[in-house]
Amino acid sequence: MIRRGEFGRILAVSPHLDDAVLSAGGLLAEHPGSVVVTVFAGFPPAYDGVTEWDAACGFCADDDVVALRRAEDRRAARRLGAASSWLDFVDDQYADERPSIDEIASALRDELAAQVFDTIAIPLGIQHRDHQRTHDACLKVLETGPGLRWLVWVDVPYRVRHPEQVERKLTALRDRGFRLAELTVQPGDRKRAAVAEYASQLRALGVGTVDDAERPEQFAVLT
């Protein structure tokens, strides 16, 4: 039987500035002192106008979008009693060239060496290219990483829209030799408060994402 108190301090590897809170905020709230490391949180060399997504979020051409989103992320993490750390890889919407899986994995190893934690929580990697690359890089770290407890969360909101991908990714983990122990966590008021801090993203993501974030969080403990 999995007891959540065994997880200690959690390091959550988030693809974007909101994903860990949307998918695992309830679990993080139960483990104060944890840290959220966001992979694609870097500043683009320049903002060439405003992207379609950023416009949907309410940003204007003169806004320093990443700085504003980092501020949202910091406030959200504090709602959970967690800290924020950001890597310098650029969100897919700004990228002309994308980092390799090995480059992301190397940066994550450096970040893990600088943090103190007991459990690593990572995305299953559903649908979005940045989510998939984060998942693959984390598995590379796992191949050579310390013998810690690893959790995989099922990505909000893609889990509802693409259940076939969820099953395919879980099967892939089993095929790699992992045993998966299922775990669910209720969101709770602290997660709701944290999610609300991502005002720009919620404007574009819509009510469906908020509804999904209100459902029980889904995890697989890798053993």
Side-chain angles (χ1 to χ4, degrees), residues 50-60 65 93 203-204:
V50 61
T51 66
E52 181 179 353
W53 177 258
D54 286 345
C57 292
F59 294 117
C60 300
V65 177
Q93 65 175 327
R203 185 177 293 113

Side-chain angles (χ1 to χ4, degrees), residues 67-159:
L68 293 169
R69 292 193 61 193
R70 283 186 175 191
E72 289 180 341
D73 191 59
R74 185 185 296 109
R75 292 193 300 269
R78 286 174 178 169
R79 292 279 191 180
L80 303 174
S84 297
S85 183
W86 305 301
L87 302 187
D88 291 328
F89 299 108
V90 176
D91 190 311
D92 189 69
Q93 65 175 327
Y94 307 124
D96 294 323
E97 296 183 6
R98 295 173 179 86
S100 69
I101 300 303
D102 285 337
E103 288 172 320
I104 298 170
S106 177
L108 285 172
R109 290 189 189 97
D110 290 342
E111 182 69 21
L112 268 55
Q115 300 286 350
V116 177
F117 58 93
D118 305 291
T119 299
I120 304 175
I122 69 173
L124 187 58
I126 302 302
Q127 183 63 20
H128 194 292
R129 181 159 41 195
D130 287 347
H131 287 235
Q132 295 166 355
R133 288 187 291 167
T134 299
H135 174 84
D136 292 345
C138 287
L139 290 187
K140 272 207 168 282
V141 173
L142 174 56
E143 290 173 355
T144 58
L148 301 168
R149 189 185 293 275
W150 286 70
L151 298 173
V152 176
W153 73 66
V154 184
D155 312 47
V156 172
Y158 302 120
R159 63 180 182 175

